[in-house]
Amino acid sequence: DVDAITLSVAEQTHAGDLARKVGSIAITIAVVSNSFVKTGIALYSGGGRFGGLVGLCLGIATAVGLVVAFVG
């Protein structure tokens, strides 16, 4: 899950074993893949309308997070 990856990458970055930029990219990949999986589950279990809504919400949240992480 994203929590485990985030904690692991944060510890490695804090210890200096991993560059911050690499850590940011690793966490971003985890969040995006998690969002895709959750959207797929929503599509499968809730149908097209529900899955589309979940995908839209997760897409917006991911986009905002990317902007904050890489621009802010």
Side-chain angles (χ1 to χ4, degrees):
D1 196 31
V2 176
D3 296 336
I5 293 170
T6 301
L7 289 173
S8 176
V9 169
E11 287 176 2
Q12 291 176 20
T13 302
H14 181 72
D17 298 331
L18 194 64
R20 285 187 177 191
K21 183 76 169 178
V22 175
S24 295
I25 292 169
I27 292 171
T28 300
I29 290 169
V31 168
V32 170
S33 64
N34 190 11
S35 294
F36 276 119
V37 170
K38 287 183 178 181
T39 299
I41 292 169
L43 282 167
Y44 178 77
S45 63
R49 186 172 180 190
F50 178 70
L53 180 61
V54 169
L56 177 65
C57 292
L58 290 174
I60 291 169
T62 301
V64 170
L66 289 172
V67 169
V68 170
F70 291 108
V71 177

